[in-house]
Amino acid sequence: MKKNLFCLAALCAAALVSCTPKELIIEEPESIDNPKETAELIHITIKASMSESTKATISTDRTWTWDASDKLAVFDGTTVTKEFGIKEILSDGQAIFEGDVASTASLTAVFPYAAALSDGSYKLSSEQTISTGQTVDPSAMVATATGEKASDSEFTFYFTPAVSFFRLSVGAGVSKVILHTVGKDDTIAGESRSVTVNLPGTAGSFWAAVNPAVYHGIRAFAYDGTSYAKKGADAAEIDLSAKGSGKNIGTVSGGTAVSVIENADNLISYLGNPALDGYIVNDLDLTGKTITSCASFAKTFDGQYHSIKNWTSEGTALFGANSGTVKDFTLDSSCKLNLPATLAAGDYAFVVKTNQGTVSGIRNEADVAEWTGEITGAINLGIIVGNGPANSIVENCYNSGKLVINAAEHGGIGTSAISGVCGRLTNKTSSAVACINRGNIDITTGINAAGANIYCAGVLGCTTNTVSAIECINYGKIDIQLSKTNSALIVAGVSSYTSGPLTGCENHGEISINSDTFIQAVALGGVCAYSSGAMENCMNDAKISLTAQYFNGGNAIGSIKSDTTVSTTTGALAVGGIVGYTYNKFSMDNCHNEGNIIFELSEQDQKVAIGSTYRFEFGGCVADAWGDINNSHNTGDIEAYVRTSTGDAFTPVKPSDTSSAGGGGTLYIGGIAGANYEAIGQSCLNITGCTNTGQIITHSDSQSTTNCAFGGIVGWPGKEADCTSITKQCTNGAESDAEKGSITVSGFITYRAGGIQGGSGRIEDCTNYGTIYAKSGKPSIGGIAGYHGGGYQVSSSSNYGTLKSDVKATGVGGLIGALQNIEISFGEGCKVDCNLVSSNTTEIGLILGHFNGNTYAITLGSETNPIKVKGECKGTTVSTDNYLNYLYGPAKYSSSLHTVFAEYWN
């Protein structure tokens, strides 16, 4: 085609067909791209002409004239593309093409021939060349036509534009312009996100053919023979979806000086001297190339959503230290990422080792090669970012590469922060937003001295000083295999440790820790392991498991340490569906756990001398809570087992006195929260509007006399004296299924189990449907609370759940299992409709199982608002005639001090 036309609008073609059958013999061997065609072919001629009435919207004065070299690609429904050459150019602007087809039933065509693909479609070239005297590359003016049969010997083709156009103006000396899309899902030429237009070097206006589409911004990079300049609105929407349409983007030369990275050598050169902002304009293949890390970077490096392929890193990050912006590129799965043979103290990553700027939109799809070596110091390891000491923003980053670490058993070497995305973030000026990890993390090691804690999570290994994490998600599995550990493990799906807010974060990856021998302090959570910030709209739906032979002792975990002005004890074990340990100023709102929690110590008799204050805490949402929990829900089951190697009972002892019962390893388990044990004052856990339908199943061979506590909502809500905590408007279980919210306990332990609370605290407007089943041990069980005291109020609460004890219990009560001997008045608005089953217990009643003493005045219900009761007690159905005989256990009842107001509930 002649080079004086820069846009195709619509072409009309009339085809004259001469039917001259002949057989085509193909000598080449048959293949997918070149199948043998055995059908008889028909030789046809096509007369093509252009309608003067239809012009391109970007041109009103140009006409299309044919050139002797023009060719059409004709498709006749077979797998072979037919090439039609020009036979004659007529004086009226029409042209005659000729070629062979297998059938004339359905014919389509693409112009020019070079743009056609074998399936009848076309691809616009991302490299266009405009020569002197031209305003557009004629080979880029792609058009298509469908043949319509006018008569037995004639066909009509209507060519229409298949492309749209950008008009650009340049000054003299500009020899090349690269147009690049801003929208990450936009393509501009075929599947490419950029189109390169080679120019004659003269000033003027030119046209670039592009895919018809709506563009979400275009950047133009103009090259004058020595350097590039960038122009373009990053977010200006341009509608070129109508084929043949055009847009004038104005002058593109004379913009901001930048570096354009077109190939691997450009990247290597740029990292060696990043004097300007850098922009990648093509996918980069680094086969056989060696990257030297950019030691210090303060500019903008924009990958423009391109991929880096076939890079082999021997522990090298693209950027050593970043205080600028690194954004929007992918490390392709073809890359080979290798850690150094020895991990000494420091920061490790493959994109940015130490970040004090912004890292955004980075995707890693490459696995880190399985690493076997030695860790010799405190490390911050993330596949994308190693460490962010301050002013570090990590956003919209994604990792799907796995991380496998096999470290030899070692002594105290400092804390390691390990993650799929970012190892560590510090300072309130830092944050992580919308980051996702899909890569599995497998760590195998052993720690034989204190001071070598492991902080590990899918997205953020560790954060401090109120770093925030917003809408971060983990899908990767985390598996830690230990020979033993004398240090603390802080492990979670999203962020292992934080003092800042977590909002909209989710975990969907299973987390497991297993020790061949012992563990020594663990904080484990689906979303976060340790938090002293606000958690909102977070969720976990993955299984969390912790197994070992025995627990060996506690360690400091954050602010949870032996300094009694800070907390009650050092960290022991806290495993929560959403979060493990929490600290001052923690809060939770609208969080949800669906994941099961499994904990087992298989041979705890190997270690009987453990601290008397150590508590093992488990919660469907929170294990140990220092704050308010609102509108949160658990559907995951909790299974916790402390066993001996023989199945016999063992008695734990204080380390300082091997002759006395220690109580170390006491279990606190709750469907929402395990306990409020670590908090100063142990009086800061308020639970409102929460529900639990997960089951609690626990067994312990410990025969310590310290009371364990299990509750459908909370196990141990706070200390028994001077506690201001309250549980209100909460529900355990489901009316339709007695197994939901159920609590089953066995072993040799002494415990309190209740549908709402195990231990004592304020309860208001709560309901239990779950079954409480004491299979063995020394229990006190109640439909609302296993034990109650402290003078606290219980009001407007109802129990519909069955209580069953196979062993002699201190008390089995439809409302309360056992009641402290203290002056108290409570129970107004409460209701009981349940079945009490116990063949060995005499201290049993629809309201109260057992009065602990008879020296204080106690009132249950009131004359104007009595407790409503009905149900069944030890096989007897309660009625209006006998209900007064089944209200409480008789052992320590005092008619002069104990007053019970009750009425049968019709």
Side-chain angles (χ1 to χ4, degrees):
M1 190 199 312
K2 290 284 177 77
K3 310 307 189 274
N4 62 344
L5 179 65
F6 53 81
C7 182
L8 171 67
L11 299 177
C12 297
L16 301 178
V17 181
S18 68
C19 299
T20 309
K22 66 177 183 178
E23 185 173 78
L24 179 67
I25 301 176
I26 300 176
E27 299 297 335
E28 297 88 348
E30 183 177 10
S31 69
I32 294 176
D33 296 326
N34 186 31
K36 288 184 178 180
E37 187 163 21
T38 59
E40 288 189 346
L41 299 182
I42 303 169
H43 188 74
I44 64 173
T45 60
I46 299 173
K47 179 183 283 187
S49 62
M50 180 186 70
S51 171
E52 293 293 338
S53 63
T54 53
K55 307 290 185 182
T57 58
I58 60 170
S59 173
T60 57
D61 57 357
R62 300 287 182 164
T63 59
W64 185 337
T65 57
W66 295 104
D67 186 271
S69 63
D70 288 341
K71 296 180 180 179
L72 301 178
V74 177
F75 302 90
D76 58 8
T78 69
T79 58
V80 180
T81 303
K82 307 305 188 297
E83 179 180 316
F84 273 56
I86 200 163
K87 180 179 181 181
E88 182 181 0
I89 300 175
L90 305 179
S91 60
D92 60 359
Q94 300 178 89
I96 298 175
F97 292 83
E98 64 178 348
D100 300 318
V101 295
S103 169
T104 61
S106 176
L107 299 178
T108 61
V110 171
F111 177 85
Y113 180 84
L117 300 176
S118 61
D119 62 357
S121 63
Y122 62 89
K123 182 177 182 180
L124 177 62
S125 174
S126 61
E127 181 88 14
Q128 300 173 21
T129 299
I130 301 174
S131 302
T132 301
Q134 297 178 338
T135 56
V136 69
D137 182 347
S139 67
M141 296 170 60
V142 182
T144 60
T146 298
E148 295 182 3
K149 193 172 184 180
S151 67
D152 290 340
S153 60
E154 294 183 353
F155 289 84
T156 301
F157 276 63
Y158 294 96
F159 277 89
T160 59
V163 295
S164 296
F165 299 87
F166 280 115
R167 182 177 182 178
L168 53 97
S169 299
V170 299
V174 174
S175 59
K176 179 168 65 175
V177 172
I178 299 173
L179 299 182
H180 200 288
T181 63
V182 174
K184 75 174 187 177
D185 297 321
D186 294 349
T187 58
I188 195 169
E191 297 177 358
S192 175
R193 301 192 62 252
S194 67
V195 59
T196 298
V197 184
N198 298 302
L199 300 172
T202 56
S205 294
F206 303 90
W207 297 94
V210 298
N211 297 334
V214 175
Y215 292 92
H216 302 88
I218 291 292
R219 293 172 182 156
F221 301 91
Y223 183 65
D224 64 6
T226 58
S227 60
Y228 279 95
K230 178 181 78 75
K231 276 191 173 182
D234 285 357
E237 187 173 284
I238 303 170
D239 188 353
L240 290 181
S241 57
K243 294 179 179 180
S245 61
K247 172 69 175 180
N248 188 350
I249 58 175
T251 301
V252 298
S253 55
T256 303
V258 296
S259 293
V260 169
I261 301 166
E262 299 183 74
N263 52 49
D265 290 334
N266 290 164
L267 175 63
I268 293 169
S269 177
Y270 181 79
L271 294 177
N273 182 27
L276 302 171
D277 292 346
Y279 291 83
I280 297 177
V281 295
N282 299 306
D283 290 351
L284 306 180
D285 189 337
L286 271 62
T287 300
K289 303 292 183 178
T290 300
I291 293 291
T292 300
S293 178
C294 178
S296 180
F297 185 74
K299 298 294 183 179
T300 294
F301 182 84
D302 192 338
Q304 298 197 108
Y305 306 105
H306 287 289
S307 293
I308 294 175
K309 302 179 179 181
N310 297 307
W311 173 41
T312 298
S313 171
E314 299 297 342
T316 301
L318 295 175
F319 300 90
N322 171 54
S323 58
T325 298
V326 176
K327 61 183 293 188
D328 298 341
F329 63 86
T330 296
L331 295 183
D332 184 78
S333 60
S334 61
C335 294
K336 296 177 175 59
L337 307 180
N338 300 289
L339 290 168
T342 299
L343 295 179
D347 302 335
Y348 297 90
F350 295 97
V351 178
V352 176
K353 285 175 61 178
T354 307
N355 182 55
Q356 291 184 281
T358 297
V359 177
S360 175
I362 306 300
R363 292 177 62 92
N364 174 63
E365 298 173 352
D367 292 337
V368 178
E370 183 171 340
W371 180 86
T372 299
E374 185 178 6
I375 301 174
T376 61
I379 63 170
N380 300 310
L381 169 60
I383 296 178
I384 294 175
V385 176
N387 184 24
N391 303 308
S392 179
I393 307 301
V394 182
E395 60 185 8
N396 297 306
C397 291
Y398 172 93
N399 172 62
S400 61
K402 67 180 180 181
L403 177 63
V404 180
I405 294 177
N406 298 307
E409 188 173 292
H410 56 268
I413 56 174
T415 294
S416 296
I418 300 172
S419 176
V421 176
C422 177
R424 182 185 293 268
L425 287 180
T426 304
N427 198 283
K428 64 182 179 181
T429 58
S430 300
S431 63
V433 180
C435 293
I436 296 174
N437 176 64
R438 288 186 178 272
N440 295 343
I441 299 175
D442 297 323
I443 300 175
T444 302
T445 189
I447 304 170
N448 56 31
N453 300 335
I454 294 177
Y455 289 75
C456 178
V459 179
L460 296 169
C462 178
T463 70
T464 57
N465 300 109
T466 66
V467 169
S468 62
I470 301 171
E471 296 179 356
C472 293
I473 304 174
N474 176 63
Y475 295 93
K477 293 182 179 180
I478 300 174
D479 183 34
I480 299 180
Q481 298 291 327
L482 303 160
S483 58
K484 62 182 178 182
T485 175
N486 284 300
S487 293
L489 300 173
I490 300 91
V491 183
V494 176
S495 175
S496 74
Y497 180 103
T498 185
S499 57
L502 293 171
T503 304
C505 295
E506 300 177 10
N507 177 62
H508 305 282
E510 292 186 5
I511 305 172
S512 60
I513 299 174
N514 177 69
S515 173
D516 293 339
T517 53
F518 60 81
I519 50 177
Q520 188 156 310
V522 175
L524 177 57
V527 174
C528 182
Y530 174 100
S531 173
S532 58
M535 299 186 71
E536 296 182 8
N537 303 315
C538 295
M539 71 88 66
N540 170 65
D541 61 7
K543 182 176 73 173
I544 301 170
S545 64
L546 170 63
T547 61
Q549 286 187 341
Y550 60 94
F551 172 74
N552 194 53
N555 290 78
I557 297 177
S559 297
I560 301 173
K561 51 191 175 184
S562 57
D563 182 352
T564 56
T565 64
V566 178
S567 62
T568 61
T569 185
T570 53
L573 295 174
V575 184
I578 303 295
V579 60
Y581 277 117
T582 65
Y583 187 64
N584 189 25
K585 298 183 179 178
F586 163 82
S587 65
M588 174 178 285
D589 187 51
N590 196 32
C591 293
H592 183 77
N593 176 61
E594 299 176 9
N596 294 339
I597 296 171
I598 298 175
F599 166 74
E600 182 172 10
L601 299 176
S602 59
E603 300 181 23
Q604 187 57 45
D605 51 322
Q606 291 194 39
K607 178 73 174 181
V608 296
I610 53 179
S612 62
T613 56
Y614 291 142
R615 300 295 189 267
F616 300 167
E617 301 169 77
F618 307 90
C621 289
V622 186
D624 187 275
W626 289 38
D628 297 341
I629 304 175
N630 298 314
N631 307 309
S632 295
H633 313 282
N634 175 61
T635 60
D637 296 338
I638 302 172
E639 298 181 48
Y641 307 100
V642 179
R643 303 184 188 276
T644 62
S645 55
T646 62
D648 298 325
F650 76 100
T651 302
V653 297
K654 296 180 181 179
S656 60
D657 183 1
T658 58
S659 65
S660 64
T666 302
L667 296 170
Y668 292 152
I669 307 176
I672 297 297
N676 178 29
Y677 183 74
E678 302 291 346
I680 295 297
Q682 299 176 330
S683 181
C684 60
L685 173 56
N686 301 302
I687 305 176
T688 304
C690 297
T691 63
N692 171 62
T693 56
Q695 298 183 56
I696 295 172
I697 302 170
T698 184
H699 172 96
S700 177
D701 290 330
S702 170
Q703 56 183 2
S704 166
T705 57
T706 303
N707 284 296
C708 298
F710 313 118
I713 300 298
V714 56
W716 195 80
K719 65 181 181 180
E720 293 171 6
D722 303 322
C723 181
T724 59
S725 298
I726 185 169
T727 302
K728 62 181 179 180
Q729 298 166 8
C730 294
T731 300
N732 178 59
E735 185 175 5
S736 60
D737 188 346
E739 292 301 310
K740 291 186 176 182
S742 65
I743 301 173
T744 303
V745 188
S746 62
F748 301 95
I749 52 174
T750 301
Y751 59 95
R752 299 159 173 175
I756 301 299
Q757 295 182 168
S760 182
R762 291 169 170 79
I763 303 173
E764 178 183 318
D765 194 19
C766 292
T767 303
N768 174 61
Y769 296 100
T771 297
I772 316 297
Y773 182 17
K775 297 180 71 174
S776 55
K778 301 173 183 178
S780 173
I781 61 174
I784 297 297
Y787 173 87
H788 189 69
Y792 308 135
Q793 184 58 255
V794 177
S795 62
S796 303
S797 296
S798 304
N799 173 51
Y800 302 93
T802 295
L803 287 93
K804 180 179 180 181
S805 179
D806 289 347
V807 293
K808 184 177 180 179
T810 300
V812 177
L815 198 65
I816 306 295
L819 181 64
Q820 183 184 13
N821 184 31
I822 191 172
E823 186 170 341
I824 188 172
S825 176
F826 70 93
E828 289 191 324
C830 291
K831 299 176 182 179
V832 175
D833 181 4
C834 66
N835 184 12
L836 307 180
V837 181
S838 180
S839 59
N840 298 318
T841 301
T842 57
E843 291 299 281
I844 188 168
L846 289 171
I847 296 176
L848 175 65
H850 177 70
F851 289 100
N852 276 13
N854 52 18
T855 57
Y856 290 93
I858 296 174
T859 302
L860 306 181
S862 68
E863 188 173 2
T864 57
N865 196 355
I867 298 171
K868 299 181 182 297
V869 298
K870 71 175 178 179
E872 190 172 312
C873 183
K874 297 184 70 170
T876 300
T877 300
V878 175
S879 67
T880 54
D881 297 327
N882 65 6
Y883 78 93
L884 294 175
N885 299 325
Y886 296 96
L887 299 179
Y888 48 83
K892 294 185 179 180
Y893 171 73
S894 171
S895 60
S896 61
L897 293 172
H898 299 161
T899 305
V900 180
F901 293 100
E903 68 177 15
Y904 182 73
W905 185 7
N906 288 314

